[in-house]
């Protein structure tokens, strides 16, 4: 009889042990949630089973990956990759850049998007991070697993719940079905960082707002025997950080999501793990391996307790076999259709052409990805949200694109603050209209004592099989070089006296060549008025020479640009070749400083070709080297006198401030130039740069005895040099830089130039 009792006891005990279920709860915490990967690695290596997962925010990302059948090693590889770093920061990878929709950027500090409704009220729709890349990445990596589970999270490789927040009712939302990618995405939609998306017809936000450590969800939904709760979130500081508050204020929003998630919901049977991630920023994803290690170490310190409380074991071999079985049911990525939501019929025609579905019965994943990135490269479409859903009826996947409230109006405010009087105020305005055609109208305004500019363009993107745009353009520029000086100059330094006005009216036609190249055809009417003195000293009684230039130009450019910044770049490439023909009329009226007395009229037929290529190569984590090659050829002839000729001569602008200076020695009709750029990255925001350039005029333009222009033959001794040493801080609104510049030219020499903001100006009518 005792043996029977012992047998029954052992039988029930083994049944209890076998039935023991373990839930893993992963908190939010911004980038610190990467530590969850290390926790899962330690559990897998020690054969600790995971039967359920509940995650909030970054915990939802890691938990969703595991629930989808990715191993700890695969998640580690994914989150540590450059691709993941780019996704969370909002960068679109180089291979997905689409140069066709690029515009010449302005020196903006603030970029605001507005939506205008029928009552002309407006809302500001600005976020800190673009979600275009991560949205597609999640859809791509979770869509087939969602299909395997029949869009029921209980049927995933590991049953899973994602926690989000409804800010209207101020309640926590538990997502248990639908698209796994959308559930994960909405769970880390921190307000003002990422745009909210709709799940179950509700706009939801980051789960950490109301439930950053969802132990209660695991208890109520799964009723496990044991919970392993991992909390990477805690009170940021016990006391106010007086010595760090200026540096930390940029993370202020994330701190609102990091409540002091207590472990009080766990009981004595559960396990509480809190990795030491206090030294890491909640917004910096670059220390992923260190944070993964912190999660691993914290879990290993608790391993004896975990093993004592959890008797079941699941070997790595068992996990591997079950993953293979789960993933063997994945269907190939064959796309049979595109479904567009919240778009008009005319808009749908336009968008469908971006994917070229009309010519084929199905599309591959690469076809879909190419069409998606081509579409969202236009700023207006940055609010589109993708989902990839399997259709049993079509026996293939369907790309669903949801049109969220779009920005119809964009305002950019900015400018340049500089140590010389070349600073300016900048205003950029854009208006979008999307019907059968996509139309973008933009106005750029610069104003200062040195440079005034008005540019008004309207771009019509046509719904053709091959993308093409037509862009009427109007441009006005005024450049006043008369009072531009360096901080430090020698006595009796000559002063340049030029006041130049250029205008052009015409049409641009753009078309893409692959992802990274654009062909631009253009034709313009030119109408320029230039005033100048033939002396370097201006007397109040002097009258300036006047040059009127009118005519037409037509040509093309073939370009590409993958530079990471518009100025002070450190990676990527830029290249272009341009060719233009000119038919011009010059009317020259001499002033009091001219040796000529009569008005002169001349006609010119010119061609000009320019080639420029720059490339940065990263040789180490903290050092990049870049090189610049530029050349120009032309059959241009001298004009009425030296000054009128040099004004219209192509120029080489080697340094950041070169366009603010009129340097005769860096101008020639035919020239070759080369430059080397050394970039030392002190940290992600701070660079030191050492650059050197050489300019070789093939035919130098010199002033004759009678103020006439003489085009000399090549002389190797006429090479001009320029160099700079720069310290650059890349602030969120533009660079702050101090430059020590040197030109070995007669009118410049050494100078110091400091500035805040991008040194960007409008192109001239002759460029």
């Amino acid at each position: 009889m005792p043996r029977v009792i012992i047998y029954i006891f052992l039988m029930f005990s083994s049944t209890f042990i076998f039935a023991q279920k373990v839930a893993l709860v992963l908190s939010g915490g911004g980038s610190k949630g990467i530590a969850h990967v290390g926790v899962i690695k330690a559990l897998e290596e020690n054969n600790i089973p995971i039967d359920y997962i509940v995650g909030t925010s970054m915990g939802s990302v890691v938990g969703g990956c595991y629930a989808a059948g990715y191993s700890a090693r695969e998640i580690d590889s994914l989150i540590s990759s450059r691709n993941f770093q780019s996704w969370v920061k909002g960068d679109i990878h180089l291979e997905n850049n689409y140069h066709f929709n690029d515009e010449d950027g302005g020196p903006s500090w603030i970029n605001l998007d507005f939506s205008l409704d029928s009552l002309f009220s407006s809302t500001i729709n600005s976020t800190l991070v673009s979600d275009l890349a991560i949205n597609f990445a999640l859809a791509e990596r979770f869509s087939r697993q969602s299909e395997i589970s029949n869009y029921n999270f209980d049927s995933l490789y590991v049953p899973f719940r994602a926690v989000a927040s409804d800010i209207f009712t101020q309640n926590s939302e538990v997502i248990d079905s639908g698209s796994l990618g959308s559930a994960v995405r909405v769970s880390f939609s921190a307000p003002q960082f990422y745009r909210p998306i709709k799940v179950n017809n509700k706009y939801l936000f980051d789960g950490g707002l109301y439930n950053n450590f969802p132990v209660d969800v695991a208890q109520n939904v799964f009723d496990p025997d044991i919970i392993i709760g991992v909390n990477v979130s805690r009170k940021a500081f016990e006391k106010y950080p007086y010595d760090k508050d200026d540096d930390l204020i940029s993370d202020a929003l994330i701190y609102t999501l990091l409540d002091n998630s207590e472990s009080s919901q766990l009981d004595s049977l559960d396990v509480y793990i809190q990795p030491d991630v206090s030294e890491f920023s909640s917004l910096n994803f670059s220390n992923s391996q260190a944070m993964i290690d912190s999660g691993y170490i914290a879990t290993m310190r608790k391993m004896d307790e975990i093993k004592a409380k959890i008797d079941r074991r699941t070997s790595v071999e068992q996990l591997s076999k079950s993953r293979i079985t789960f993933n063997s049911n994945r269907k190939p990525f064959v796309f049979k259709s595109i479904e567009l939501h919240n778009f008009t019929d005319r808009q749908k025609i336009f968008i469908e052409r971006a994917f070229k579905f009309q010519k084929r019965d199905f599309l591959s994943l690469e076809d879909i990805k190419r069409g998606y990135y081509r579409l969202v490269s236009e700023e207006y479409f940055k609010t589109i949200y993708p989902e990839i859903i399997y259709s049993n009826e079509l026996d293939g996947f369907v790309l669903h694109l949801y049109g969220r409230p779009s920005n119809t109006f964009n305002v950019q405010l900015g400018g340049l603050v500089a140590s010389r009087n070349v600073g300016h105020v900048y205003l950029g305005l854009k208006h979008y209209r999307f019907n059968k055609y996509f139309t973008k109208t933009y106005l750029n305004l610069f104003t200062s004592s040195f440079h005034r500019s008005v540019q008004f363009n309207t771009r019509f993107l046509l719904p053709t099989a091959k993308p093409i745009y037509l862009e009427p353009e109007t441009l006005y520029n005024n450049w006043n070089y008369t009072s531009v000086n360096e901080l430090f100059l020698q006595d009796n330094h000559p002063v340049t006296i030029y006041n130049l006005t250029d205008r052009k009216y015409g049409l641009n036609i753009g078309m893409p060549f692959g992802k990274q190249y654009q062909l631009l055809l253009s034709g313009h009417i030119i109408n320029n008025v230039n005033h100048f003195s033939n002396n370097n000293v201006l007397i109040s009684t002097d009258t300036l020479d006047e040059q009127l230039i009118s005519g037409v130009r037509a040509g093309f450019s073939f370009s590409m640009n993958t530079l990471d910044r518009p100025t002070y770049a450190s990676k990527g490439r830029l290249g272009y070749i341009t060719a233009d023909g000119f038919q011009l009329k010059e009317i020259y009226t001499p002033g009091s400083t001219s040796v000529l007395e009569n008005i002169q009229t001349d006609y010119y037929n010119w061609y000009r070709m320019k080639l420029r290529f720059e490339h940065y190569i990263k040789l180490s984590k903290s050092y990049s080297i870049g090189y610049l090659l530029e050349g120009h050829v032309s059959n241009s002839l001298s004009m009425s006198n030296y000054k009128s000729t040099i004004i219209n001569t192509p120029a080489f602008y080697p340094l950041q401030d070169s366009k603010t200076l009129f340097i005769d020695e860096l101008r020639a009709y035919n020239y070759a130039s080369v430059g080397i750029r050394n970039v030392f990255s002190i940290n992600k925001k701070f660079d030191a740069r050492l650059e050197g350039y050489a300019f070789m005029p093939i035919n130098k333009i010199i002033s004759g005895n009678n103020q006439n222009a003489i085009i000399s033959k090549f002389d190797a001794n006429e090479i001009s040099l320029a160099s700079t040493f720069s310290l650059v801080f890349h602030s969120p609104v533009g660079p702050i830089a101090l430059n020590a510049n040197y030109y070995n030219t007669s009118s410049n020499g050494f100078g110091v130039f400091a500035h805040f903001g991008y040194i960007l100006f409008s192109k001239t009518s002759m460029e």
Side-chain angles (χ1 to χ4, degrees):
M1 186 68 177
R3 290 184 178 181
V4 173
I5 295 174
I6 293 172
Y7 175 78
I8 294 173
F9 173 80
L10 291 174
M11 182 180 68
F12 276 100
S13 297
S14 62
T15 301
F16 173 77
I17 292 171
F18 180 81
Q20 193 180 35
K21 295 296 183 180
V22 181
L24 180 63
V25 176
L26 305 177
S27 79
S31 63
K32 296 181 181 183
I34 292 176
H36 294 316
V37 180
V39 174
I40 294 176
K41 285 181 67 176
L43 295 176
E44 272 200 351
E45 289 178 8
N46 287 273
N47 303 326
I48 304 300
I50 301 173
D51 299 297
Y52 314 106
I53 296 181
V54 179
T56 287
S57 194
M58 194 62 195
S60 178
V61 177
V62 176
C65 286
Y66 196 76
Y70 293 99
S71 68
R73 181 174 296 180
E74 289 173 323
I75 302 171
D76 184 341
S77 177
L78 173 66
I79 289 182
S80 300
S81 69
R82 290 185 179 180
N83 281 340
F84 184 81
Q85 309 296 319
S86 298
W87 299 336
V88 294
K89 290 189 296 185
D91 297 335
I92 293 179
H93 195 269
L94 175 62
E95 68 180 15
N96 295 317
N97 278 337
Y98 199 69
H99 182 50
F100 173 62
N101 287 316
D102 284 354
E103 304 170 16
D104 293 332
S108 63
W109 299 341
I110 301 173
N111 194 333
L112 300 175
D113 294 323
F114 294 86
S115 295
L116 303 179
D117 62 21
S118 58
L119 298 178
F120 296 98
S121 62
S122 65
T123 56
I124 298 177
N125 299 312
S126 297
T127 55
L128 297 180
V129 178
S130 168
D131 61 355
L132 297 173
I134 197 165
N135 289 346
F136 193 88
L138 292 174
E140 175 186 350
R141 280 155 181 79
F142 289 145
S143 56
R144 292 191 288 181
Q145 291 85 343
S146 295
E147 186 277 329
I148 293 172
S149 68
N150 198 28
Y151 301 95
N152 181 347
F153 292 179
D154 285 333
S155 300
L156 290 166
Y157 174 71
V158 176
F160 172 69
R161 295 295 185 270
V163 179
S165 298
D166 177 358
I167 64 170
F168 296 110
T169 63
Q170 298 188 5
N171 288 321
S172 180
E173 291 276 339
V174 179
I175 306 173
D176 60 4
S177 61
S179 164
L180 178 60
S182 293
V184 169
R185 165 65 177 81
V186 77
S187 184
F188 67 90
S189 297
Q192 300 305 312
F193 274 82
Y194 293 113
R195 295 175 186 271
I197 64 171
K198 276 190 173 182
V199 172
N200 298 329
N201 208 33
K202 292 181 180 180
Y203 278 115
L204 299 178
F205 286 86
D206 194 292
L209 287 171
Y210 303 123
N211 194 349
N212 201 44
F213 192 36
V215 172
D216 60 324
V217 176
Q219 293 168 337
N220 297 333
V221 173
F222 296 122
D223 190 24
D225 299 296
I226 293 177
I227 292 176
I228 301 176
V230 188
N231 181 21
V232 296
S233 170
R234 56 178 146 183
K235 190 183 295 182
F237 297 94
E238 295 300 325
K239 296 181 180 180
Y240 187 87
Y242 290 101
D243 57 336
K244 298 180 179 180
D245 54 357
D246 287 331
D247 295 330
L248 296 170
I249 195 64
S250 61
D251 291 356
L253 181 58
I254 202 69
Y255 292 138
T256 66
L257 304 177
L258 304 184
D259 64 353
N260 188 18
S261 304
E262 299 293 345
S263 59
S264 57
Q265 298 179 79
L266 299 171
D267 59 32
S268 59
L269 294 177
D270 299 323
V271 178
Y272 180 72
I273 300 174
Q274 184 150 17
D276 183 7
V277 287
S278 57
E279 65 180 282
F280 304 111
S281 165
S282 300
L283 298 177
N284 187 351
F285 288 82
S286 60
N287 296 312
S288 59
Q289 197 56 57
M291 288 186 279
I292 291 172
D293 292 342
S294 69
Y296 183 88
I297 292 169
T299 307
M300 292 304 297
R301 287 174 178 167
K302 291 272 189 173
M303 192 52 65
D304 289 342
E305 177 188 349
I306 294 171
K307 289 182 176 180
K309 293 182 176 180
I310 301 174
D311 297 305
R312 272 181 60 216
R313 297 291 180 266
T314 304
S315 69
V316 174
E317 290 76 15
Q318 288 175 297
L319 292 176
S320 179
K321 288 180 181 179
S322 60
R323 283 196 183 96
I324 292 173
T325 300
F326 179 80
N327 287 313
S328 65
N329 296 316
R330 291 192 303 181
K331 291 183 168 58
F333 270 131
V334 176
F335 288 82
K336 294 294 184 70
S337 179
I338 297 175
E339 294 292 333
L340 302 174
H341 307 270
N342 304 324
F343 295 101
T344 67
D345 290 340
R346 287 187 173 185
Q347 291 174 334
K348 289 179 180 179
I349 293 173
F350 181 94
I351 293 174
E352 287 170 351
R353 289 185 182 275
F355 293 89
K356 301 181 180 179
F357 222 119
Q358 301 86 346
K359 298 181 179 180
R360 302 171 62 177
D361 295 330
F362 66 89
L363 296 179
S364 68
L365 177 64
E366 285 305 311
D367 295 327
I368 290 292
K369 184 182 295 187
R370 189 181 304 114
Y372 172 78
Y373 280 107
R374 180 166 63 189
L375 186 66
V376 301
S377 66
E378 170 51 58
E379 188 77 7
Y380 176 84
F381 295 107
K382 67 182 180 182
T383 58
I384 281 179
Y385 181 75
E387 270 191 343
I388 297 175
I389 304 294
Y390 188 81
S391 169
N392 290 314
E393 181 181 350
L394 297 176
D395 190 25
F397 285 94
V398 177
L399 174 68
H400 293 259
L401 292 178
Y402 295 87
R404 295 177 285 177
S406 301
N407 308 310
T408 57
F409 198 64
N410 175 270
V411 178
Q412 297 181 0
L413 301 172
L416 175 67
V417 179
S419 57
R420 289 189 279 110
N421 58 339
V422 296
H424 54 248
V425 176
Y426 168 76
L427 171 65
L429 303 174
K430 292 181 187 176
H431 179 265
Y432 303 96
R433 180 176 176 81
F434 181 32
N435 202 344
K436 183 177 180 180
Y437 304 97
F438 177 75
T439 304
K440 174 169 57 180
T441 301
Y442 53 96
L443 176 68
N444 292 322
L445 303 171
F446 294 79
T447 179
S448 71
S449 60
F450 166 65
H451 176 225
R452 291 178 295 166
S453 177
V454 179
Q455 182 184 22
F456 182 77
N457 289 31
T458 299
R459 180 176 293 188
F460 300 94
L461 189 56
L462 305 181
T464 52
K466 186 175 181 63
I468 186 171
Y469 68 74
L470 305 178
E471 185 179 52
E473 178 181 20
T474 300
L475 176 66
Y476 164 86
N477 281 315
N478 176 258
W479 310 83
N480 184 3
Y481 288 94
T482 302
S483 55
V484 176
N485 293 308
E486 296 280 2
L487 279 178
F488 306 111
L489 296 173
Q490 299 95 1
D491 293 336
N492 301 317
H493 192 280
V495 176
T496 303
I497 304 169
Y498 293 123
N499 191 293
L500 314 178
T501 299
D502 64 275
R503 292 176 286 254
K504 69 176 181 180
Y505 320 92
L507 178 68
N508 301 313
I509 302 174
M511 59 191 71
F513 274 75
K515 293 180 181 178
Q516 298 182 13
Y517 300 91
Q518 177 183 207
L519 175 65
L520 185 69
L521 308 176
S522 60
H524 291 88
I525 297 171
I526 294 174
N527 189 354
N528 299 348
V529 181
N530 303 318
H531 295 91
F532 53 88
S533 171
N534 294 284
N535 298 330
N536 289 327
V537 177
L538 183 63
I539 302 173
S540 59
T541 57
D542 285 346
T543 58
L544 300 179
D545 293 15
E546 180 181 79
Q547 180 190 42
L548 304 179
I549 295 180
S550 59
V552 296
R553 63 174 288 184
F556 74 88
S557 70
F558 189 73
S559 63
M560 59 89 66
N561 185 0
T562 62
L563 296 181
D564 59 337
R565 302 185 186 102
T567 60
Y568 299 111
S570 60
K571 64 180 179 180
R573 297 178 296 166
L574 178 146
Y576 61 80
I577 180 171
T578 66
D580 287 286
F582 296 81
Q583 286 189 342
L584 302 175
K585 175 184 177 181
E586 178 197 25
I587 301 176
Y588 169 74
T589 304
S592 61
T593 63
S594 175
V595 299
L596 300 176
E597 297 181 354
N598 299 320
I599 297 175
Q600 297 190 33
T601 301
D602 291 291
Y603 296 87
Y604 306 95
N605 289 311
W606 294 341
Y607 73 82
R608 291 181 176 179
M609 294 185 65
K610 181 179 180 180
L611 172 68
R612 181 183 176 97
F613 184 76
E614 57 183 287
H615 183 204
Y616 291 88
I617 304 169
K618 195 170 186 64
L619 298 181
S620 71
K621 185 176 181 180
S622 59
Y623 174 65
S624 297
I625 187 170
Y627 61 90
L628 167 69
L629 302 173
E630 183 174 305
H632 194 281
V633 295
S634 175
N635 68 341
S636 303
L637 302 174
S638 59
M639 305 183 80
S640 296
N641 68 357
Y642 171 75
K643 291 286 187 177
S644 65
T645 301
I646 204 72
I647 285 172
N648 295 286
T649 301
F652 175 54
Y653 302 117
L655 308 187
Q656 292 295 329
D657 72 331
S658 293
K659 199 163 187 177
T660 69
L661 302 170
F662 200 101
I663 304 176
D664 293 17
E665 290 91 337
L666 295 181
R667 290 174 175 260
Y669 289 135
N670 300 284
Y671 67 81
S673 57
V674 63
I676 296 294
R677 297 169 173 173
N678 300 279
V679 184
F680 304 92
S681 300
I682 299 171
N683 56 46
K684 287 194 171 183
K685 297 291 186 181
F686 193 65
D687 293 341
R689 304 173 67 96
L690 181 62
E691 306 175 19
Y693 302 89
F695 173 82
M696 181 174 62
I698 307 302
N699 301 110
K700 186 176 181 181
I701 302 172
I702 59 178
S703 179
N705 294 330
N706 294 318
Q707 299 178 348
N708 59 312
I710 300 174
I711 300 178
S712 65
K713 295 182 179 180
F714 171 70
D715 185 346
N717 295 320
E718 297 292 348
I719 294 177
S720 296
L721 304 176
S723 61
T724 183
F725 175 73
S726 307
L727 297 174
V728 186
F729 175 72
H730 300 283
S731 79
V733 293
I736 302 172
L738 177 65
N739 302 274
N741 298 335
Y742 174 74
Y743 299 91
N744 73 331
T745 59
S746 60
S747 59
N748 291 89
F750 174 77
V752 175
F753 180 65
H755 72 92
F756 164 53
Y758 294 104
I759 307 178
L760 299 173
F761 301 98
S762 300
K763 293 181 179 179
T764 70
S765 63
M766 303 289 279
E767 287 183 292

